[in-house]
Amino acid sequence: MHVIHLSVECFPLAKVGGLADVVGALPRYQRKLGIDAWVICPYYDRPFTRDNDFSSIAKGSFFQGSEELHYEVLKETEDSLGFPLYLIRIPGKLDRQEVYCYPDEAEQWIAFQHACLDWLKNSEIKPDVINCHDHHVGLIPFLMKHADDFKEFEKVKTVFTVHNGQYQGWMNWNKGILLPAFDTWKWGLLDWDGLINPLAAAVKCCDAFTTVSEGYLQELYGQANGLESLFFSEAAKGYGIVNGIDDAYWNPVEDKLIPVNYDIESSKKGKAKNKKAFCEKYGLDETLPLLTYIGRFAAEKGADLLPEIVVNIFSHNENKISIFILGSGDTKIQASLQALLAAYPGRLETFFGYNETLAHEVYAAADMILMPSRVEPCGLNQLYAMKYGTIPIVRGIGGLKDTVRDVNEKNGYGFVFPDATSEDAVSTIGRALDYIGQRGKMQRIRRKEMELDFSWDKSAQQYINLYNRL
């Protein structure tokens, strides 16, 4: 079976969030299971493309409105990621350093999707399944069925994976002229509330859609940023498949990015050594429990609650805890956290930005990780944390609810709170401190969570089972 994954993120080519981690791992695990899985992404002027060898395998052109665009297809020659990676380069559109935040983003993604289909058509490549990841490639299922130039793909099956339904790629209908010519009688498939909505179009036109956890699939029926009724009406073709983690990269036994490697049996001493090195580096007290937050500074992640949580934690647990925050995003949240540093020297430290190596070091050093999310389709941070023996303290929503079991439940190994409020978060952090302060309980939790299997093997097989059903 031949499957092509389309995405605008793929680790380590270009990463902004969990989408990149999924697309950088899932195809490799599918290939281990006998699937011929490829990935097609936009070209980015980033370290990965500069440091690896690519060969030009195709060129072409098409009109986007009145503008003629020329594209080149580049293949990574060594297949160093464990799967064939193809990049679409379009001068002035798909040749930039950053993934998002350009004013012509809609034009970028339309061009990417058009070029993908044009190349596949001209090269007579017809896969069994095209798996589209998030709204950036959400027009593909529609174009394959209803665009004049791509009717040969009408029978190719499409799976659309919703990584985050809050972002839908809305664009005004004046952008419609930029699309490949299509059957205008089908314009309603593109429309939602008077706008072209690529995510809605994908859900309407795909053969099946997946979400990155079973819990998130259920939540979309009631909370989908305006698409609740659509997800409900298309529920028969919806599947929840929880993300996995890449054991080859996120594994304290072999991780080359942490000072000291360890396994379940040596986790107590191993984490202690990593924590000592980390705390010395950032001026924190290694004898105190270390709580961390890793992620985007965004309201959906509950990051706007962090300043209040920090103040309340220290007012209730003075000299009982240290906190390290690694993240970037909303500048107001960042400024609020920055302002707190002077008030809690030696107890609160931050790193503003994205640093992959530092993230590994934090997972290996921290005792607990906080995820107060308002929306969390799957969440990977809690999975990485548990792999490294770091105890999750999470809001019970989406994939967090699916993957973290509270210690008050049978065989529990984490701490779950009901609402995204600073009060609930601080109360649960206090509960965690009391619990792990009791002799031997932290190590028992650590052993339970490190024994859990969140690898991609099971999830990759679930995707393959879906492809086979289609």
Side-chain angles (χ1 to χ4, degrees), residues 34 39 111 137 168 203 231 364 427 433 443 452:
V39 172
V137 289
Q168 300 171 10
V203 174
F231 280 108
S427 173
L433 288 173
Q443 193 58 25
L452 298 171

Side-chain angles (χ1 to χ4, degrees), residues 214-284:
E214 181 63 34
Y216 190 54
L217 176 63
Q218 300 304 316
E219 287 170 9
L220 285 175
Y221 300 142
Q223 185 182 356
N225 206 2
L227 297 185
E228 295 82 4
S229 62
L230 174 61
F231 280 108
F232 187 79
S233 66
E234 299 287 352
K237 60 181 182 181
Y239 300 83
I241 303 176
V242 70
N243 285 339
I245 60 174
D246 187 354
D247 276 343
Y249 190 69
W250 296 99
N251 189 340
V253 178
E254 302 173 348
D255 194 337
K256 295 180 175 60
L257 300 180
I258 62 176
V260 179
N261 294 114
Y262 58 92
D263 58 15
I264 293 176
E265 299 304 325
S266 61
S267 59
K268 185 175 181 179
K269 290 182 178 179
K271 282 191 71 72
K273 291 178 180 178
N274 281 288
K275 184 178 179 181
K276 178 179 174 64
F278 183 84
C279 288
E280 286 177 354
K281 182 177 179 180
Y282 286 95
L284 297 170

Side-chain angles (χ1 to χ4, degrees), residues 189-211:
L189 294 171
L190 297 172
D191 184 83
W192 194 267
D193 285 342
L195 296 172
I196 296 176
N197 187 316
L199 190 144
V203 174
K204 293 176 187 178
C205 297
C206 68
D207 294 291
F209 70 88
T210 67
T211 61

Side-chain angles (χ1 to χ4, degrees), residues 19-67:
L19 169 61
D21 289 328
V22 172
V23 179
L26 173 59
R28 176 155 34 89
Y29 281 81
Q30 290 180 332
R31 290 184 71 85
K32 291 178 181 178
L33 295 169
I35 298 298
D36 183 15
W38 298 2
V39 172
I40 305 177
C41 286
Y43 177 92
Y44 298 102
D45 182 16
R46 296 172 73 92
F48 183 86
T49 52
R50 294 193 292 268
D51 297 343
N52 290 274
D53 293 327
F54 288 82
S55 58
S56 178
I57 62 167
K59 293 183 179 180
S61 64
F62 57 87
F63 279 91
Q64 185 160 287
S66 59
E67 180 183 13

Side-chain angles (χ1 to χ4, degrees), residues 1-2 9 33 39-40 96-97 151 204 297 307 350 362 386 396 399 454 469-470:
M1 179 184 292
H2 183 198
E9 290 187 44
L33 295 169
V39 172
I40 305 177
R96 302 171 183 177
Q97 291 189 343
K151 289 298 179 71
K204 293 176 187 178
F297 295 153
T350 61
V362 174
M386 290 188 286
F454 288 114
R469 282 196 293 271
L470 296 179

Side-chain angles (χ1 to χ4, degrees), residues 146-181:
H146 304 298
D148 297 345
D149 287 342
F150 306 124
K151 289 298 179 71
E152 58 262 61
F153 297 119
E154 189 174 5
K155 302 298 184 182
V156 174
K157 300 302 181 181
T158 54
V159 173
F160 180 69
T161 300
V162 183
H163 294 262
N164 192 331
Q166 297 299 302
Y167 304 102
Q168 300 171 10
W170 310 270
M171 62 184 87
N172 290 320
W173 266 101
N174 60 11
K175 302 291 186 186
I177 195 173
L178 304 178
L179 299 177

Side-chain angles (χ1 to χ4, degrees), residues 231-454:
F231 280 108
F232 187 79
S233 66
E234 299 287 352
K237 60 181 182 181
Y239 300 83
I241 303 176
V242 70
N243 285 339
I245 60 174
D246 187 354
D247 276 343
Y249 190 69
W250 296 99
N251 189 340
V253 178
E254 302 173 348
D255 194 337
K256 295 180 175 60
L257 300 180
I258 62 176
V260 179
N261 294 114
Y262 58 92
D263 58 15
I264 293 176
E265 299 304 325
S266 61
S267 59
K268 185 175 181 179
K269 290 182 178 179
K271 282 191 71 72
K273 291 178 180 178
N274 281 288
K275 184 178 179 181
K276 178 179 174 64
F278 183 84
C279 288
E280 286 177 354
K281 182 177 179 180
Y282 286 95
L284 297 170
D285 187 344
E286 67 179 277
T287 66
L288 298 178
L290 176 59
L291 174 72
T292 188
Y293 171 93
I294 302 175
R296 287 187 294 119
F297 295 153
E300 71 178 55
K301 298 294 185 183
D304 56 308
L305 302 173
L306 289 176
E308 186 177 351
I309 289 172
V310 168
V311 171
N312 288 340
I313 286 176
F314 286 136
S315 66
H316 289 87
N317 301 280
E318 189 172 6
N319 297 323
K320 292 183 180 179
I321 191 171
S322 295
I323 300 174
F324 185 86
I325 295 173
L326 166 60
S328 62
D330 189 303
T331 55
K332 291 182 179 179
I333 296 173
Q334 180 172 317
S336 297
L337 293 168
Q338 180 79 44
L340 293 175
L341 290 174
Y344 306 107
R347 289 188 289 164
L348 172 67
E349 283 297 333
T350 61
F351 182 95
F352 299 131
Y354 174 75
N355 187 310
E356 189 77 17
T357 298
L358 180 56
H360 284 248
E361 293 174 349
V362 174
Y363 286 122
D367 297 299
M368 301 167 287
I369 186 170
L370 175 65
M371 298 180 68
S373 304
R374 291 186 177 87
V375 178
E376 196 63 73
C378 176
L380 291 172
N381 288 0
Q382 83 279 13
L383 305 183
Y384 299 149
M386 290 188 286
K387 186 72 176 180
Y388 285 70
T390 297
I391 298 168
I393 303 174
V394 304
R395 194 249 171 137
I397 192 169
L400 299 177
K401 182 173 60 179
D402 289 353
T403 56
V404 178
R405 182 176 297 172
D406 194 273
V407 293
N408 288 334
E409 299 179 33
K410 185 178 179 180
N411 296 320
Y413 44 82
F415 297 85
V416 182
F417 54 95
D419 296 315
T421 65
S422 62
E423 292 80 9
D424 272 13
V426 170
S427 173
T428 306
I429 293 167
R431 181 162 65 92
L433 288 173
D434 291 340
Y435 190 92
I436 65 177
Q438 300 174 46
R439 183 177 177 83
K441 285 197 171 182
M442 175 181 280
Q443 193 58 25
R444 285 198 290 274
I445 296 176
R446 187 173 284 158
R447 174 176 286 275
K448 281 183 182 179
E449 64 184 13
M450 292 183 73
E451 288 174 343
L452 298 171
D453 181 11
F454 288 114

